[in-house]
DNA sequence: AAAGACTGCAACCGCAACCTT
DNA sequence: GAAGGTTGCGGTTGCAGTCTT
């Protein structure tokens, strides 16, 4: 970075800095920047700031243009479809807001970040609290997991997701120890474990959420998390959940937590990494035919998701 | 009606990566 | 290769508007 060598340069810099405005943009400033951008297009931002007659730094101009003035920006609240997509993409990408924004036309990374940090996070947390309070005999986070395993209410799984990501004991967790245990039954054609052992780590909650989203698709409700339970039943000799969706099955969640602990200890010693697409099989993630939602090409968007770059999960 | 608490969001900050000289 | 300059990103902050008491 620049480190001015002499006092004169320093003073000049300070004088320049002192003139620069900060804080909220006035309508006049917006107009200046908008006009300049429409006339001249994008270029070097510090030049733009200067040439447009703005007492702002280039960085500030860039931010204002990208987050507010750009003509292709979509205004207004997020639709439920966008919300679903954000939750889904966040489960894959984490806090890579720019990458998430790249898959939501007309939305900015800042907007999505704010939306996540205020609306989504809070909503999921509330739902999680509600779901666990109805199971007061089961402690956290078990209550949440139990609830998620038993029912498929709208946000059970994402509530679990949030619960686990905010819990230090299960922040970055692993799920799969060997190929016999497949956390993604609907995706089993894609899920594979390297040499019988997962060679990296990923969020335990994420895999559960993947199952949730994969089973539901957009707007679908399967009621019970059947494939997950079937996976357990077929492969692990753990009794499947029987009867109604409200009966807890201690064996199932005990197994999951034990497995989780085992995997964690394995992964702590692992030095390799695994690609997320190997795990979730994104291109086969979405069931059903084409989606038509609002004005967006959701099918295209989802296809676009399949082109996500590989993500290497780091072992903690 | 007023004051304090809460919320949502625009904008800033620091950092890292990349490009240019 | 080093240093300066720019861009882009994610985390954080500050403030205006809204809600609650």
């Amino acid at each position: 970075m620049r480190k001015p060598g002499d006092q004169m340069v320093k003073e000049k810099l300070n004088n320049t800095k002192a003139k620069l405005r900060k804080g909220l943009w006035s309508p006049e400033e917006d107009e200046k920047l908008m006009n300049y951008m429409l006339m001249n297009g994008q270029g070097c931002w510090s030049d733009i700031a200067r040439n447009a007659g703005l007492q702002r730094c280039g960085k500030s101009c860039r931010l204002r243009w990208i987050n507010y003035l750009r003509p292709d920006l979509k205004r207004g609240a997020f639709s439920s479809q966008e919300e679903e997509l954000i939750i889904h993409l966040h489960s894959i990408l984490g806090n890579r807001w720019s990458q998430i924004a790249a898959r939501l036309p007309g939305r900015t990374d800042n907007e999505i970040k704010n939306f996540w940090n205020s609306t989504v996070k809070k909503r999921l947390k509330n739902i999680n609290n509600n779901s666990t309070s109805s199971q007061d005999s089961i402690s956290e986070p078990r209550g949440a997991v139990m609830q998620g395993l038993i029912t498929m209410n709208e946000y059970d799984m994402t509530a679990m997701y949030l619960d686990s990501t905010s819990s230090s004991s299960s922040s970055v967790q692993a799920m799969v120890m060997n190929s016999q245990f497949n956390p993604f039954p609907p995706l089993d054609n894609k899920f594979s474990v390297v040499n019988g052992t997962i060679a990296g780590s990923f969020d335990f909650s994420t895999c559960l959420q993947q199952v949730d989203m994969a089973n539901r698709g957009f707007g679908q409700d399967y009621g019970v998390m059947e494939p997950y339970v079937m996976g357990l039943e077929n492969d692990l000799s753990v009794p499947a959940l029987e009867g109604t969706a409200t009966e807890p099955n201690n064996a199932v969640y005990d197994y999951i937590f034990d497995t989780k602990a085992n995997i964690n200890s394995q992964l702590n010693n692992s030095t390799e990494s695994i690609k997320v697409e190997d795990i979730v099989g994104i291109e086969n993630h979405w069931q059903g035919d084409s989606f038509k939602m609002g004005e967006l090409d959701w099918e295209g968007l989802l296809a676009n998701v399949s082109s996500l770059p590989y993500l290497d999960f780091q072992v903690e």
Side-chain angles (χ1 to χ4, degrees):
Chain A
M1 293 302 157
R2 189 218 303 245
K3 288 184 174 51
D6 62 68
Q7 194 59 30
M8 273 182 66
V9 177
K10 267 186 186 172
E11 282 170 7
K12 198 174 178 183
L13 207 65
N14 286 338
N15 290 339
T16 310
K17 270 188 176 176
K19 287 181 185 173
L20 294 180
R21 270 175 55 81
K22 277 184 170 187
L24 294 179
W25 280 63
S26 68
E28 291 76 24
E29 286 177 309
D30 280 346
E31 198 183 340
K32 278 183 184 177
L33 181 57
M34 176 71 98
N35 287 340
Y36 185 89
M37 291 301 291
L38 293 177
M39 294 284 289
N40 302 285
Q42 208 160 313
C44 174
W45 283 107
S46 44
D47 290 344
I48 290 171
R50 208 177 309 119
N51 297 337
L54 291 161
Q55 306 300 316
R56 297 268 181 178
C57 67
K59 206 170 174 177
S60 179
C61 293
R62 176 186 160 270
L63 209 64
R64 186 64 177 170
W65 175 256
I66 288 173
N67 288 336
Y68 192 80
L69 295 175
R70 240 170 54 198
D72 60 328
L73 283 182
K74 195 176 173 181
R75 307 278 181 188
F78 284 86
S79 67
S80 57
Q81 288 81 19
E82 284 177 308
E83 187 174 336
E84 290 239 23
L85 187 56
I86 289 169
I87 292 170
H88 168 61
L89 289 170
H90 187 270
S91 73
I92 298 170
L93 296 166
N95 292 0
R96 292 178 175 86
W97 305 115
S98 59
Q99 288 187 36
I100 294 173
R103 290 165 177 83
L104 280 151
R107 301 295 189 181
T108 70
D109 53 355
N110 207 36
E111 198 177 9
I112 292 168
K113 179 172 60 182
N114 284 335
F115 179 64
W116 180 270
N117 286 333
S118 54
T119 312
V120 178
K121 230 173 180 176
K122 199 194 317 163
R123 190 175 302 167
L124 296 183
K125 209 161 193 171
N126 285 341
I127 293 164
N128 186 36
N129 289 340
N130 291 341
S131 70
T132 53
S133 65
S134 65
Q135 301 230 357
D136 46 10
S137 62
I138 302 170
S139 62
E140 293 279 5
R142 282 190 167 189
V145 173
M146 174 57 72
Q147 189 75 4
L149 285 171
I150 304 305
T151 71
M152 280 297 279
N153 291 333
E154 182 70 5
Y155 286 106
D156 277 352
M157 305 308 289
T158 44
M160 289 163 56
Y161 165 63
L162 237 92
D163 170 70
S164 64
T165 52
S166 63
S167 162
S168 60
S169 63
S170 57
S171 54
V172 177
Q173 307 290 358
M175 183 64 194
V176 180
M177 183 159 54
N178 58 57
S179 56
Q180 288 183 311
F181 184 66
N182 183 350
F184 305 105
L187 315 168
D188 57 3
N189 57 330
K190 271 294 167 187
F191 178 76
S192 61
V193 179
V194 181
N195 298 327
T197 305
I198 193 168
S201 69
F202 67 101
D203 199 310
F204 166 74
S205 58
T206 298
C207 79
L208 292 174
Q209 192 187 7
Q210 299 294 348
V211 174
D212 167 48
M213 299 297 279
N215 283 334
R216 278 193 300 137
F218 283 133
Q220 294 179 40
D221 184 0
Y222 283 73
V224 180
M225 195 171 162
E226 202 171 3
Y228 193 86
V229 175
M230 284 173 64
L232 292 170
E233 178 185 33
N234 294 340
D235 298 335
L236 296 168
S237 304
V238 173
L241 300 178
E242 293 177 352
T244 69
T246 55
E247 287 179 11
N249 185 318
N250 292 336
V252 171
Y253 77 78
D254 276 344
Y255 175 83
I256 289 170
F257 274 90
D258 289 344
T259 303
K260 225 176 126 181
N262 289 338
I263 295 162
N264 285 341
S265 65
Q266 267 211 353
L267 289 172
N268 284 339
N269 300 322
S270 173
T271 55
E272 297 176 55
S273 63
I274 192 165
K275 292 167 182 172
V276 68
E277 285 188 356
D278 289 343
I279 301 172
V280 301
I282 294 168
E283 59 266 43
N284 288 322
H285 199 153
W286 304 96
Q287 297 181 336
D289 296 320
S290 62
F291 296 99
K292 272 281 180 205
M293 298 189 181
E295 296 176 353
L296 293 174
D297 174 14
W298 288 94
E299 195 176 11
L301 277 176
L302 295 174
N304 191 27
V305 170
S306 69
S307 65
L308 289 168
Y310 283 154
L311 301 172
D312 289 336
F313 288 82
Q314 301 300 315
V315 176
E316 279 195 341

